[in-house]
Amino acid sequence: MSDDYDHGRRDGLRLALAVLAAEEAKWFALLGESRSWRTNATREIRHKTLQVAQTRVRTALNRMTPRDDAASGAELAAALAKLGL
């Protein structure tokens, strides 16, 4: 039961990384596009916030990954490659 639960948690974190990567890409494309400095500043803040969130989720995922299981490492590498991270 615990292995399935941990695997599900890791999958959830990978999904969160994918969502954050998509949102970050959206805001990156909008940086500097507006004539309003306030809008551009807000977009920069959102972009940076998403980058920080990705780093925190990636750290949590790394902490949950077993250190001695080679199959789990391959699973993680495949998931991150699929996300483009």
Side-chain angles (χ1 to χ4, degrees):
M1 176 78 178
S2 178
D3 289 338
D4 289 337
Y5 179 75
D6 289 340
H7 182 71
R9 288 178 68 190
R10 288 191 300 268
D11 284 345
L13 288 173
R14 288 186 194 107
L15 179 61
L17 274 174
V19 170
L20 287 170
E23 282 294 308
E24 183 202 2
K26 179 180 91 172
W27 287 106
F28 181 73
L30 295 174
L31 290 177
E33 291 292 317
S34 177
R35 287 184 284 167
S36 169
W37 67 269
R38 190 169 292 163
T39 300
N40 287 331
T42 302
R43 288 175 178 174
E44 287 177 21
I45 291 169
R46 287 180 181 167
H47 181 252
K48 183 62 178 176
T49 302
L50 290 167
Q51 288 178 331
V52 169
Q54 278 184 319
T55 302
R56 289 182 178 178
V57 170
R58 196 174 299 125
T59 299
L61 182 60
N62 288 340
R63 288 181 182 165
M64 290 179 60
T65 304
R67 300 285 180 232
D68 58 349
D69 188 11
S72 177
E75 171 190 346
L76 176 64
L80 290 176
K82 187 177 185 182
L83 294 174
L85 299 174

